[in-house]
Amino acid sequence: MKKTYQIDENGYYGKFGGAYIPEILHRCVADLQAAYLTILGSEPFKTEYRRLLRDYAGRPSPLYHAVRLSAKTGCKVYLKREDLNHTGAHKINNTIGQILLARTMGKTRIIAETGAGQHGVATATVCALMDMPCVVYMGKTDVERQQPNVQRMQMLGATVVPITSGNMTLKDATNEAIRDWCCHPSDTFYIIGSTVGPHPYPDMVARLQSVISEEIKWQMLEKEGRDYPDYLIACVGGGSNAAGTIYHYVNDERVKIVLAEAGGKGVHSGMSAATIQLGREGIIHGARTLVMQNADGQIEEPYSISAGLDYPGIGPVHAYLAEEKRATVLAVDDDDALEAAFELTRLEGIIPALESAHALGALKKVRFAPSDVVVLTVSGRGDKDMDTYIKWKKEI
Ligand SMILES: *Cc1c(COP(=O)(O)O)cnc(C)c1O
């Protein structure tokens, strides 16, 4: 039988995934497991989801042949422009889908957690659109360093709750969101922002982001006369833009997959977020996956200059693809990502998000043949990262 990298019927990719949740959430997660495929496949859902992706988010996103970047790289590079979506990144594809699902399941209240604030903004946006109350949990440290996104969420009508436990960052916000969900399992829908969390979230989010590779297929056919590239490249935090980019190609071995994780100040510097390289098997956020942890199994705080990539876990699908060597995982350090961001800006007039800049940094680490066709996903735009870019330029 041909190898498949899709999730199995128990919610696992190999040994990774599953649903490790408190008893009180069992019913709620089981309901979602039972309902999600039927709802996602139903005509009313598909019609409304497609309409909003097109008319509200601005899809399809262009597949752009980056001519000058290609010349510099030594092969043909296409950029999948998720930066052009409403709210500036791929995250809106997922939040539109999950809020429609929530509404279909009769839920009346939305919660989310956010680190950098990007998922919080994407969630607050769709809650405004659907007139649903929205509570976003965010570590106090993150609230302080991501003020513009906090203000956006508030303007959109969301309640932002600063969390003061632990290191006051993403994992603490996540714990708090899970606690809230435990208290309100019947009326509340928890919108998770990446391919993480208990089954069915990783698969559900991958499906909602799979519109990215669905579009790449017909766009490649239009531009290249074949519907697949030689390489797909994307950055991974939790792994949702990467999962969407590879979804329709993962079982097609002609297509090589390159995942860029955040090396921070260097994989072995003690300041890194390269979870696939540094992580050990463990449980985080309700799933078995690779986790950055100390000898006692306590979660280690990751570091990356990019707030969207410093998650101490990784989507179970990516842990599996790395283990099976279906994907090549490269750690891209802060400085390499920053350099790549400036290079793209000057070559193509596109300022990428710092997260996406890690994918661009990976482009320099692969030896391509001149005939290779590469599709690289620009997951978001760089407006939010201007302070970091300006500061770095001054320092060097
Ligand atoms: C959140 C974010 C990421 C990281 O999340 P994934 O789930 O790994 O895609 C990457 N790029 C941008 C622009 C983001 O906002």
Side-chain angles (χ1 to χ4, degrees):
M1 203 180 88
K2 208 166 162 247
K3 184 151 194 122
T4 167
Y5 297 93
Q6 245 65 336
I7 199 159
D8 70 21
E9 62 276 15
N10 300 315
Y12 283 86
Y13 304 88
K15 65 185 172 205
F16 300 113
Y20 298 81
I21 48 166
E23 177 93 47
I24 193 162
L25 287 180
H26 180 79
R27 174 71 193 281
C28 182
V29 170
D31 285 350
L32 189 58
Q33 287 171 354
Y36 84 108
L37 288 177
T38 312
I39 296 175
L40 261 49
S42 71
E43 283 312 317
F45 177 91
K46 286 198 285 190
T47 306
E48 186 65 352
Y49 178 57
R50 297 279 147 179
R51 182 182 75 84
L52 289 171
L53 286 182
R54 186 188 64 227
D55 299 342
Y56 187 70
R59 304 202 71 90
S61 68
L63 185 70
Y64 165 66
H65 176 206
V67 177
R68 295 185 65 211
L69 179 66
S70 296
K72 182 112 189 203
T73 309
C75 63
K76 196 164 191 179
V77 181
Y78 284 94
L79 302 177
K80 183 58 174 160
R81 299 288 311 277
E82 294 302 301
D83 58 311
L84 294 176
N85 294 332
H86 179 45
T87 69
H90 65 291
K91 287 197 170 74
I92 193 83
N93 304 328
N94 172 48
T95 55
I96 289 175
Q98 285 197 47
I99 203 158
L100 290 175
L101 194 79
R103 200 174 64 174
T104 309
M105 292 180 76
K107 306 289 179 178
T108 53
R109 175 176 176 268
I110 299 295
I111 59 170
E113 90 291 324
T114 196
Q118 295 297 107
H119 173 57
V121 170
T123 303
T125 298
V126 295
C127 286
L129 179 70
M130 300 287 171
D131 191 22
M132 287 228 224
C134 177
V135 177
V136 179
Y137 292 96
M138 192 170 184
K140 184 166 168 282
T141 312
D142 290 331
V143 168
E144 281 158 11
R145 60 184 177 191
Q146 310 289 346
Q147 268 303 306
N149 277 339
V150 173
Q151 288 160 346
R152 273 182 202 113
M153 287 183 262
Q154 287 168 339
M155 182 161 173
L156 286 159
T159 304
V160 179
V161 182
I163 303 306
T164 52
S165 58
N167 288 318
M168 309 189 215
T169 58
L170 181 61
K171 86 175 154 50
D172 313 297
T174 300
N175 291 340
E176 211 51 45
I178 292 174
R179 216 162 283 148
D180 178 315
W181 201 23
C182 288
C183 297
H184 309 93
S186 56
D187 68 342
T188 296
F189 193 96
Y190 180 17
I191 298 190
I192 294 183
S194 191
T195 44
V196 299
H199 174 63
Y201 281 96
D203 183 50
M204 185 166 78
V205 175
R207 285 170 189 270
L208 293 172
Q209 291 292 358
S210 71
V211 64
I212 299 173
S213 52
E214 188 184 305
E215 289 172 5
I216 294 172
K217 278 204 138 174
W218 61 257
Q219 290 170 323
M220 277 291 300
L221 191 60
E222 242 176 49
K223 291 175 203 297
E224 289 291 318
R226 57 164 158 131
D227 70 356
Y228 67 97
D230 299 300
Y231 285 87
L232 289 167
I233 304 183
C235 66
V236 275
S240 68
N241 86 88
T245 300
I246 66 176
Y247 193 87
H248 291 287
Y249 293 111
V250 73
N251 294 329
D252 182 345
E253 305 275 353
R254 294 172 301 183
V255 182
K256 298 181 192 75
I257 297 170
V258 177
L259 305 175
E261 56 178 3
K265 294 190 189 296
V267 173
H268 300 293
S269 67
M271 291 188 79
S272 179
T275 312
I276 297 177
Q277 286 196 44
L278 296 173
R280 284 183 297 118
E281 219 179 298
I283 293 185
I284 184 170
H285 212 152
R288 175 173 292 282
T289 184
L290 297 173
V291 184
M292 290 182 58
Q293 52 187 301
N294 65 19
D296 297 330
Q298 294 300 304
I299 291 167
E300 298 255 31
E301 197 72 16
Y303 163 84
S304 162
I305 191 154
S306 153
L309 297 184
D310 65 355
Y311 180 66
I314 180 80
V317 61
H318 302 297
Y320 182 60
L321 294 175
E323 186 183 71
E324 292 290 312
K325 304 211 180 336
R326 174 67 183 94
T328 304
V329 182
L330 301 174
V332 176
D333 295 352
D334 289 356
D335 282 342
D336 295 337
L338 286 158
E339 212 159 281
F342 277 89
E343 184 182 272
L344 182 74
T345 303
R346 292 299 172 89
L347 287 174
E348 301 289 348
I350 298 169
I351 303 180
L354 255 171
E355 293 84 1
S356 322
H358 287 71
L360 291 155
L363 203 55
K364 293 182 203 295
K365 294 178 184 277
V366 182
R367 222 177 258 260
F368 298 108
S371 60
D372 281 338
V373 176
V374 176
V375 172
L376 183 150
T377 295
V378 180
S379 53
R381 60 174 176 246
D383 308 32
K384 68 186 179 55
D385 299 311
M386 285 315 296
D387 287 348
T388 309
Y389 287 148
I390 292 163
K391 186 162 168 279
W392 184 72
K393 204 64 189 177
K394 271 194 198 133
E395 280 170 9
I396 60 166

